[in-house]
Amino acid sequence: MKKVFKLVIPLLLLIGCNEKVEKDKERIPPVIAPFSDVDTLAINDWWNRADNPIINLKVSRDSVVAFGIYTVSKNTLKLSAQLYPLFPEETREVSLEVEENGAWEELQKQNVNDLGWSALFRIDNWDDSKDVKYRIRHGEKAFFEGLIRKNPKGKEQISLAALSCNSNKDRGMRENYVRNINHQDPDLIFFAGDQSYDHTEHTAAWLKFGLQFRETFRNRPAITIPDDHDIGQGNLWGENGKVSTVSGSSDGGYTYHHEYVKMVERCQTAHLPDPYDPTPVKQGISVYYTNLLWGGADFAILEDRKFKSGPAGKIPQQGPRPDHIRNPEYDPASIDLPGLKLLGDRQLSFLDDWGSQNSDALKVVLSQTGFCGGAHIHGSLDNRLHADLDSNGWPQTGRKKALELIQKAGAVHIAGDQHLATVIKQGIDDFGDGPWSFVVPAIVNDYYSRWWWPEDEKAGANPNKNTSLPWTGDYLDGFNNKISMIAYVNPESDSKGGGYGLIHFNKKGKTTTFECWPRYVDVTKTDAEQFEGWPMTVSME
């Protein structure tokens, strides 16, 4: 009898497997993606894909709601629900529910988009004076719960955690970040770009990012903006949405299918407040630049790259790549030519308008990267660049226009992208006459690190006397822009220079305090220390 039993079990398993294979073959995707070379793990008959190194997409059906991410601004709640891929026979309908008097009340239903597997809820006239528990529901068993926080406008000080560059060189979870950020309990969180480094598989990588960080934004508002790696490029000069046809995209524009780009931006930015001017750019690619009012602060959210000119064919090439200047003897004026754009006319108009409104609020500009060349060495110690046209230090005229408007608004600037944490006092016409800028470190800095390392290894004029860092003070970057380096984190530092920023905005004192925390520091310990040079407090008046 035992022998018969042993034979029956494998036979039943074989029959069950064959039935599953046949069922999978019979499934027909209700939506066929307009692209076939990107997002292959999550489109069309995704269930037939082999296992992948990014994330398991074939989760149990009571776990298909991966996370929710939201903002509240001007009494409008916008919340994106992110799901795992759904089988053809499963409903595309998801519900947003809130807890009222101990019971769940449905506020809205929306349909999931088969490209990217997200859905957007929008609730106008939201009462932001109280905490509200929410949950996203799919079917009868799949839920994601969180808290929509009340507006902290009554607080004297509000805080923002800022992160960027979530390299796939480390696919592990981010327990240190989750523990530290939740312990410090900021009022909102900002991810400045490169949440995904798996260029052609955004959905899988975005889901992985969500698993890593959802406990930081489950219970607080979050701002996420995509950068070049998120949309599948090493660098991006968007040129108003045109198609790029050159390897490396230095001619300007987007390499991959416009619907893929739209999908990435939809998943990462649909929950942001409505765009200032929603007119799409070329290829029907949307825009998301906007502002968010929260806690007595007014955050301008920019798209650094979308309108920026590509260098190839427009300026004299000064190195093996159109975007890398190796020749320190070149004339910086030779690349600052009429017609070149940085933020573009539309965003400059937005910044001008934004700066003149809500004058009682503290002003903060959030963007992808810094407005200068803040690194000398890229990738490895033998790779010194005189100037990097991927930075917002170029074109110089566009930089000047942007900084003038940020300074006019009395704003500080927070960004990421550079894999090198810096605090810089920008110079427009003279050293120190521009806004303060804090570029936060990379989440994972084990890939393509950067260094601030002047070739003469000398401090600039007016060095920062409050730090032991050797190379602070006034410098010209590779574009002859005036910058005052106040602090920097080279990769020989703790956590290889990886970490995050925590910024405190004091409304009564009209000051901003920059904190910079190493990745592997435990802030719950009394002896936890920030990177050398931090914290620092600056005036916003």
Side-chain angles (χ1 to χ4, degrees), residues 383-440:
N383 187 32
R384 178 175 288 274
L385 293 182
H386 186 71
D388 178 15
L389 279 75
D390 177 54
S391 78
N392 283 345
W394 175 84
Q396 298 95 309
T397 296
R399 168 192 182 264
K400 182 177 181 181
K401 289 178 180 178
L403 290 180
E404 285 174 340
L405 292 173
I406 296 172
Q407 179 67 8
K408 181 181 174 183
V412 296
H413 174 227
I414 313 296
D417 173 64
Q418 289 293 297
H419 301 208
L420 171 66
T422 57
V423 171
I424 291 171
K425 188 71 160 69
Q426 301 283 4
I428 302 172
D429 296 310
D430 297 303
F431 287 105
D433 66 351
W436 287 96
S437 178
F438 180 17
V439 170
V440 300

Side-chain angles (χ1 to χ4, degrees), residues 138-365:
H138 178 267
E140 297 301 320
K141 297 181 179 180
F143 302 97
F144 178 86
E145 296 185 14
L147 180 74
I148 298 168
R149 290 196 178 194
K150 69 178 182 180
N151 193 330
K153 57 188 176 184
K155 295 173 65 175
E156 185 176 297
Q157 176 174 284
I158 66 166
S159 301
L160 169 79
L163 306 93
S164 76
C165 304
N166 188 35
S167 173
N168 60 8
K169 293 298 178 181
D170 178 348
R171 294 195 184 277
M173 298 300 285
R174 306 290 186 246
E175 297 94 335
N176 283 15
Y177 289 107
V178 172
R179 178 200 62 225
N180 285 357
I181 290 169
N182 285 338
H183 177 77
Q184 293 166 329
D185 195 22
D187 297 285
L188 69 164
I189 189 165
F190 170 47
F191 293 93
D194 294 342
Q195 284 71 252
S196 158
Y197 275 77
D198 289 283
H199 286 189
T200 58
E201 296 294 347
H202 178 265
T203 297
W206 176 243
L207 284 163
K208 181 68 172 184
F209 161 81
L211 286 191
Q212 292 167 328
F213 285 101
R214 65 185 181 183
E215 297 308 322
T216 67
F217 54 76
R218 180 190 292 270
N219 300 319
R220 63 174 55 83
I223 298 166
T224 50
I225 58 175
D227 202 1
D228 40 21
H229 293 285
D230 296 289
I231 54 95
Q233 298 178 208
N235 290 308
L236 172 64
W237 299 268
E239 281 208 14
N240 204 42
K242 69 183 279 284
V243 176
S244 172
T245 59
V246 170
S247 176
S249 69
S250 58
D251 58 330
Y254 293 82
T255 298
Y256 290 111
H257 197 285
H258 60 277
E259 292 294 343
Y260 180 67
V261 176
K262 289 164 67 176
M263 180 198 79
V264 172
E265 293 190 350
R266 180 171 61 249
C267 288
Q268 293 209 24
T269 70
H271 69 287
L272 299 182
D274 296 345
Y276 176 79
D277 172 5
T279 306
V281 296
K282 294 177 182 178
Q283 302 191 76
I285 295 172
S286 301
V287 299
Y288 58 83
Y289 64 91
T290 187
N291 74 302
L292 182 147
L293 282 164
W294 189 247
D298 192 355
F299 299 89
I301 302 167
L302 298 182
E303 301 185 64
D304 307 26
R305 324 278 199 182
K306 186 158 281 179
F307 302 95
K308 185 176 179 180
S309 302
K314 300 181 185 69
I315 62 171
Q317 188 163 323
Q318 302 285 342
R321 285 172 43 169
D323 57 316
H324 284 179
I325 293 176
R326 302 278 185 180
N327 174 20
E329 305 300 323
Y330 91 112
D331 178 10
S334 70
I335 62 169
D336 188 24
L337 303 177
L340 295 175
K341 303 291 185 182
L342 180 53
L343 294 184
D345 297 338
R346 290 172 58 180
Q347 285 196 106
L348 291 175
S349 295
F350 159 64
L351 268 182
D352 192 20
D353 193 15
W354 170 78
S356 64
Q357 296 182 2
N358 304 311
S359 57
D360 293 337
L362 294 183
K363 299 281 187 170
V364 185
V365 172

Side-chain angles (χ1 to χ4, degrees), residues 82-191:
Q82 181 62 54
L83 277 72
Y84 286 89
L86 299 171
F87 290 111
E89 66 270 20
E90 292 182 292
T91 179
R92 268 45 179 172
E93 193 172 75
V94 288
S95 301
L96 174 63
E97 302 173 341
V98 295
E99 190 179 63
E100 291 282 353
N101 300 318
W104 290 104
E105 175 187 340
E106 184 180 281
L107 289 186
Q108 199 173 94
K109 290 181 178 178
Q110 293 293 344
N111 288 324
V112 176
N113 193 323
D114 282 45
L115 300 184
W117 303 105
S118 68
L120 176 67
F121 299 98
R122 177 197 178 104
I123 309 294
D124 294 318
N125 302 312
W126 180 261
D127 181 0
D128 67 0
S129 66
K130 58 183 180 180
D131 291 338
V132 177
K133 291 182 179 180
Y134 74 91
R135 74 178 185 183
I136 303 162
R137 180 172 61 84
H138 178 267
E140 297 301 320
K141 297 181 179 180
F143 302 97
F144 178 86
E145 296 185 14
L147 180 74
I148 298 168
R149 290 196 178 194
K150 69 178 182 180
N151 193 330
K153 57 188 176 184
K155 295 173 65 175
E156 185 176 297
Q157 176 174 284
I158 66 166
S159 301
L160 169 79
L163 306 93
S164 76
C165 304
N166 188 35
S167 173
N168 60 8
K169 293 298 178 181
D170 178 348
R171 294 195 184 277
M173 298 300 285
R174 306 290 186 246
E175 297 94 335
N176 283 15
Y177 289 107
V178 172
R179 178 200 62 225
N180 285 357
I181 290 169
N182 285 338
H183 177 77
Q184 293 166 329
D185 195 22
D187 297 285
L188 69 164
I189 189 165
F190 170 47
F191 293 93

